[in-house]
Amino acid sequence: MAAEIVNPRSDSEAGAEQGEGAEPLDSFDPAFALHRGGKMAVQATVPVRDKDDLSLAYTPGVAKVCSAIAEQPDLVHDYTWKSSVVAVVTDGTAVLGLGDIGPEASLPVMEGKAILFKQFGGVDAVPIALNCTDADEIVETVVRLAPSFGGVNLEDISAPRCFEIERKLQERLDIPVFHDDQHGTAVVTLAALRNAARLSGRTLGELRAVISGAGAAGVAIAKMLVEAGIGDVAVADRKGLVSADRDDLTPVKQELASFTNKAGLSGPLEAALAGADVFIGVSGGTVPEPAVASMAEGAFVFAMANPNPEVHPEVAHKYAAVVATGRSDFPNQINNVLAFPGIFAGALQVRASRITEGMKLAAAEALASVVGDDLAADYVIPSPFDERVAPAVTAAVAAAARAEGVARR
């Protein structure tokens, strides 16, 4: 699939739709100009120049290939694009920082996700925005679509339904299912934290982290940090720190409480930050400056809410040795595009049946290693445009898939 801008309508047609005499939106806003007509197109990989080409690409030649696949279903991976295409699936309920804006309004983001797959991982992707929000309906729909795809990237589906949807799809499908808002964020966060720790001469096991946000990203980051050997991690939601003594926890947060917060902290986020080595923000809101000041010397602040970080970098730099955000206009951007293209490329390369924890940890390690000897306080994570990133992540994920027994080629 080619990522290209097309313009099927004239400015006069667009203006008529917006009202008689109205200026087209893209006459004064470059974002609208770029999106006119969408950001994607389908491009053939074989020529259809004459009747001989037509007879091979379509009937009667295609019948031979269909019959062969019917007899040997695994041939679909060799004679169709299935093994190199991902479905990017959303219900439009948690789109960027915009919230529940619906499936149609989510399409520009899903198109953007698809062209990032192609640009950074060489993976074709198809945006699929579903007009339903019931978890079981979404699962059934994706299961029925699955024969056309080599993997499923769940995107911008609100918590806690996203956890259930991913789990049920993983149980029913034999192709990789990956909720990027959870695992992509966690992979890049872990990679940056590994390098921050290395810069300070510490190990993950020596660090105590506090995460603001117990949604999709916060839960996944906590799980991955524990898997990677963090000393301790506590997670806070709107009501305070998630701990086993709370009686208002959802099943997801009850599970979270079972493997986090070994120190048994309770109360507000600010209380946990006193003496903490790491702050990770994936919630929005604002952390008061005195709470940041109370963190341990040489702390790390990863304030990743967009467009407004939980701790502004100017404030964070007063007290922290390493500062990261989710924004591209500050150093150390925690950007999911560093992870998901290479993760899917590696999984598809070996026809993995799923994406395991080991594959995600391998992706984080590979991503961290790209920084190498250039490690610095303002460079603990590489740029998305670093051409070494996707090949490193792809190779590491493919090797991990083989090692864990989920590779099929």
Side-chain angles (χ1 to χ4, degrees), residues 86-139:
V86 170
V88 181
V89 178
T90 190
D91 63 358
T93 56
V95 181
L96 294 178
L98 304 174
D100 185 355
I101 59 174
E104 286 87 356
S106 77
L107 271 176
V109 177
M110 299 309 114
E111 287 183 4
K113 194 79 173 192
I115 65 174
L116 295 180
F117 264 110
K118 189 67 173 180
Q119 174 74 22
F120 294 103
V123 174
D124 290 306
V126 177
I128 298 176
L130 301 178
N131 189 23
C132 63
T133 57
D134 179 81
D136 287 332
E137 288 184 10
I138 292 173
V139 170

Side-chain angles (χ1 to χ4, degrees), residues 110-194:
M110 299 309 114
E111 287 183 4
K113 194 79 173 192
I115 65 174
L116 295 180
F117 264 110
K118 189 67 173 180
Q119 174 74 22
F120 294 103
V123 174
D124 290 306
V126 177
I128 298 176
L130 301 178
N131 189 23
C132 63
T133 57
D134 179 81
D136 287 332
E137 288 184 10
I138 292 173
V139 170
E140 291 298 329
T141 302
V142 175
V143 167
R144 284 168 170 75
L145 291 170
S148 296
F149 299 97
V152 175
N153 183 96
L154 300 174
E155 189 76 16
D156 292 351
I157 299 173
S158 63
R161 295 173 311 115
C162 59
F163 303 113
E164 177 187 1
I165 291 167
E166 183 185 43
R167 175 179 57 79
K168 288 183 174 179
L169 285 173
Q170 287 175 335
E171 290 170 354
R172 295 185 59 180
L173 298 177
D174 67 344
I175 58 176
V177 178
F178 186 84
H179 184 207
D180 188 48
D181 300 319
Q182 292 184 61
H183 311 301
T185 307
V187 165
V188 183
T189 301
L190 174 58
L193 187 56
R194 279 193 183 282

Side-chain angles (χ1 to χ4, degrees), residues 186-316:
V187 165
V188 183
T189 301
L190 174 58
L193 187 56
R194 279 193 183 282
N195 277 337
R198 179 164 69 94
L199 182 67
S200 67
R202 289 177 284 178
T203 66
L204 290 179
E206 297 175 81
L207 303 178
R208 178 170 72 84
V210 179
I211 298 174
S212 175
V219 171
I221 291 169
K223 287 182 177 180
M224 182 160 283
L225 292 185
V226 170
E227 285 278 342
I230 192 82
D232 194 12
V233 55
V235 183
D237 62 11
R238 290 183 179 86
K239 297 181 179 180
L241 294 167
V242 174
S243 58
D245 60 355
R246 278 179 49 180
D247 59 6
D248 61 345
L249 300 179
T250 64
V252 170
K253 292 179 184 178
Q254 288 173 359
E255 180 190 2
L256 184 63
S258 72
F259 63 85
T260 62
N261 198 3
K262 292 186 294 186
L265 301 173
S266 60
L269 169 77
E270 290 84 354
L273 281 178
D277 302 292
V278 184
F279 168 75
I280 297 172
V282 283
S283 66
T286 302
V287 177
E289 184 171 342
V292 181
S294 74
M295 295 179 68
E297 185 177 354
F300 313 139
V301 171
F302 291 7
M304 302 188 294
N306 269 321
N308 300 310
E310 294 89 347
V311 183
H312 194 279
E314 289 182 4
V315 174

